[in-house]
Amino acid sequence: VLHDINLAVYERDFLGIIGPNGGGKTTLVKCILGLLKPTGGEISFNCKPSLGYLPQYSTIDRKFPISVEEVILSGLSIQKSLTSRFTPEQREKGKQIIARMGLEGLEHRAIGQLSGGQLQRALLGRAIILSLIHISDPSVLILDEPSTYIDKRFEARLYELLAEINKECAIILVSHDIGTVLQQVKSIACVNETLDYHPDTGVTTEWLEKNFN
């Protein structure tokens, strides 16, 4: 799927990954996360980072008995044992995320009763909650098409939120919305079987035509 990939992501980087459907964007992200093992080459970290991940919107069992609050707090599961309860501090952070996601009043609603956009915001909250808790290790937030099913009004708030997070955390953002991405990120990688890296967002029309045929 991918070949001749050479990419470095730096602390507090905001990397946009663009490319045509089937070009390998999600495959690259899954390799970074360790969900797929590359057949050649290596992926290395200077230290062990905390990774937050929002996958592309996919089939989810809406009948699963879990509330909005529980979905978001599940992003903190790495910080506690399976049998321990969430601390008051962790629940307070959950409330802050719920407010940031515009989900106030829906805390106890089951995910089966949410709209597609509301569910996506809950899943986004789950992905970012660990990044917003002060931890000693650098963190990386990886978002695969985060604006899917999110209306334009909240999309503006989404990028405001990501700008805040980026002050403390590196972000890798996969998106097909080239115009919006170029306004938000610091660097660009176009993935179409191989990778063309651009260290800033000053890409030309010719560059886009070359990479998107």
Side-chain angles (χ1 to χ4, degrees), residues 2 6 81 107 124 127 144 157 164 180 191 194 200:
L2 296 171
N6 185 21
S81 68
E107 295 93 330
L124 177 60
D144 196 349
R157 177 65 190 121
E164 295 172 19
T180 301
V191 176
T194 187
D200 53 41

Side-chain angles (χ1 to χ4, degrees), residues 21 29 43 46 49 52 58 66 68 73 84 86 91 94 105 111 132 134 140 143 145 150 161 189 196 204 208:
N21 290 335
V29 163
I43 297 170
N46 288 340
S58 58
I66 188 170
V68 169
L73 286 175
S84 64
F86 290 106
R91 290 192 176 277
I111 59 172
L132 294 181
H134 294 293
V140 182
L143 307 173
E145 301 285 3
I150 291 178
L161 180 60
D196 188 356
T204 63
L208 290 172

Side-chain angles (χ1 to χ4, degrees), residues 118 128 141 164 187:
Q118 289 168 340
I128 70 174
L141 178 62
E164 295 172 19
S187 54

Side-chain angles (χ1 to χ4, degrees), residues 138-206:
S139 54
V140 182
L141 178 62
I142 300 178
L143 307 173
D144 196 349
E145 301 285 3
S147 60
T148 305
Y149 300 106
I150 291 178
D151 60 41
K152 287 295 181 182
R153 182 182 59 179
F154 186 79
E155 185 177 18
R157 177 65 190 121
L158 166 65
Y159 284 107
E160 290 176 8
L161 180 60
L162 293 182
E164 295 172 19
I165 295 171
N166 189 221
K167 295 174 183 177
E168 303 291 336
C169 171
I171 298 175
I172 299 174
L173 173 67
V174 179
S175 180
H176 66 277
D177 188 350
I178 300 173
T180 301
V181 168
L182 290 177
Q183 296 178 49
Q184 307 296 335
V185 302
K186 297 175 181 175
S187 54
I188 284 286
C190 181
V191 176
N192 188 6
E193 296 185 12
T194 187
L195 184 147
D196 188 356
Y197 177 79
H198 207 82
D200 53 41
T201 57
V203 298
T204 63
T205 302
E206 291 75 19

Side-chain angles (χ1 to χ4, degrees), residues 45-58:
F45 298 90
N46 288 340
C47 54
K48 186 178 180 180
S50 298
L51 297 174
Y53 177 45
L54 177 69
Q56 272 186 300
Y57 188 86
S58 58

Side-chain angles (χ1 to χ4, degrees), residues 27-47:
T27 299
L28 175 61
V29 163
K30 287 183 176 180
C31 286
I32 294 172
L33 288 162
L35 299 176
L36 290 176
K37 185 177 181 180
T39 54
E42 64 179 22
I43 297 170
S44 61
F45 298 90
N46 288 340
C47 54

